[in-house]
Amino acid sequence: MATAGTVKTPDGLKTTRLEASRALVRFAWGVVGYNVLVILWGALVRATGSGAGCGNHWPLCNGQVIPLSPRIDTVIEFTHRCMTGGSTFLVVGLLIWTFRGTLKGQAARGLAVASMVLLLNEAFLGALLVKLGYVTGNQSMGRVVVLSIHLSNTLLLLAALTLTARLLGTRQRWAELRVSGARKLWALLGLGATLVVGVSGSLAALGDTLFPASSLRAAFTQDFAAGSPWLLRLRGVHPISAVIAAAFVLSLTGQARRAGASRIAGLVLSFLCLQFALGLADVLLLAPVWMQILHLLGADLYWVTLVTLAAMVMWPQQSPSRACTAD
């Protein structure tokens, strides 16, 4: 069921728009949730050193469509590829349904297209890591660079999917997404700083995987040793960037409370505190695989919530007056 309604644009004109069905909005949030699972499984691939489980083959796995008599690392890597394929079908479905369930000019359409583009880029970057051999024990600077781009794209993809779901729910048009300078600046700073935290955290986790420490003291010694690899030297960027990003996010939540979004602001702050607690536990426990996955899950939920909050601050929803209802 779709609902037609009218809303005043910033220039005072009334326009008609099609309200996305509840089923479409739920499906969009479901796609967000599924992609979080894909990200978590990708972290399992990295943490278990299973990136070469399918050899130097892509999209085939060890030269086969379905691997026969696979090793455990092959199962883990092949499962990740299957999950990524499932994500492709879901995002394509979301794109088609969004265009069928909305009118021209609605912002959700543009974000759905952006999600599709970022997903294709995600697949390309994943294939590049495999074909260049930037998996398992590879410690090169090339891996750090390509992986950083890959991780940034992952977070941007999750953000685009989140905004698609959000804008399907609010049914806002591009003309309504006008932002004052201060709001836009703080929102973008908060998101940009958090993006750096996410990428640096994943690189720190890779360092923990490639160079496991026997004790907390040994881990700190590794970080500051003159001959330490770049991955270990970069590990200190994560906590520093986290503190800086938290300052921007606190300012953003303050704006959100003043704008009447206290509930989502409180949720963001809760996830922020949880992330600091999980990060500390990760360090104290010497980053076991299960702790890395749990920490990443918290980071993904925090990112989705933060993107939603930023959208609410930058693009406050107007109250439409419904003109008519149609099946």
Side-chain angles (χ1 to χ4, degrees), residues 30-313:
V31 175
V32 173
Y34 180 82
N35 275 271
V36 169
L37 294 179
V38 176
I39 293 170
L40 295 179
W41 197 270
L44 181 64
V45 172
R46 186 262 310 151
T48 57
S50 303
C54 286
N56 191 29
H57 298 86
W58 194 95
L60 297 179
C61 185
N62 292 323
Q64 302 170 327
V65 176
I66 300 178
L68 304 176
S69 303
R71 307 183 307 271
I72 184 62
D73 60 334
T74 303
V75 172
I76 294 174
E77 168 65 7
F78 184 68
T79 300
H80 180 58
R81 294 189 183 189
C82 290
M83 292 178 71
T84 302
S87 178
T88 302
F89 285 110
L90 288 175
V91 175
V92 169
L94 177 61
L95 178 64
I96 295 173
W97 196 353
T98 296
F99 270 78
R100 290 179 61 87
T102 60
L103 290 176
K104 183 178 180 180
Q106 287 190 238
R109 288 187 170 192
L111 271 301
V113 172
S115 298
M116 191 71 250
V117 172
L118 287 167
L119 180 63
L120 294 176
N121 195 46
E122 186 82 349
F124 168 74
L125 291 170
L128 193 63
L129 286 169
V130 172
K131 299 301 289 184
L132 294 177
Y134 292 157
V135 292
T136 58
N138 188 291
Q139 306 170 17
S140 67
M141 180 55 67
R143 183 181 187 181
V144 172
V145 173
V146 176
L147 188 60
S148 297
I149 297 173
H150 184 36
L151 296 170
S152 299
N153 189 84
T154 299
L155 291 176
L156 291 175
L157 169 61
L158 196 57
L161 290 171
T162 300
L163 290 176
T164 301
R166 164 70 185 172
L167 293 172
L168 281 171
T170 62
R171 305 175 298 278
Q172 289 167 289
R173 303 172 68 89
W174 284 116
E176 300 172 54
L177 305 187
R178 297 184 178 178
V179 188
S180 61
R183 284 185 176 181
K184 182 178 181 180
L185 177 63
W186 284 107
L188 292 179
L189 285 175
L191 292 174
T194 304
L195 183 69
V196 173
V197 175
V199 173
S200 63
S202 294
L203 292 178
L206 177 61
D208 292 333
T209 300
L210 295 180
F211 309 101
S214 57
S215 67
L216 187 60
R217 181 177 181 179
F220 281 112
T221 301
Q222 283 181 330
D223 289 350
F224 296 101
S228 292
W230 273 103
L231 273 174
L232 294 183
R233 296 186 183 184
L234 291 172
R235 195 155 52 180
V237 173
H238 182 55
I240 296 173
S241 60
V243 172
I244 295 173
F248 288 118
V249 171
L250 288 175
S251 176
L252 182 61
T253 55
Q255 292 187 38
R257 290 182 184 278
R258 290 191 293 273
S262 298
R263 179 176 298 180
I264 188 70
L267 190 58
V268 167
L269 290 176
S270 297
F271 277 128
L272 178 62
C273 294
L274 176 63
Q275 277 304 95
F276 275 102
L278 291 175
L280 180 60
D282 197 23
V283 172
L284 295 177
L285 295 174
L286 300 179
V289 172
W290 66 268
M291 190 68 231
Q292 292 183 39
I293 302 298
L294 183 60
H295 191 23
L296 179 59
L297 173 61
D300 289 338
L301 295 177
Y302 172 61
W303 176 247
V304 168
T305 311
L306 180 61
V307 169
T308 304
L309 178 68
M312 294 175 69
V313 170

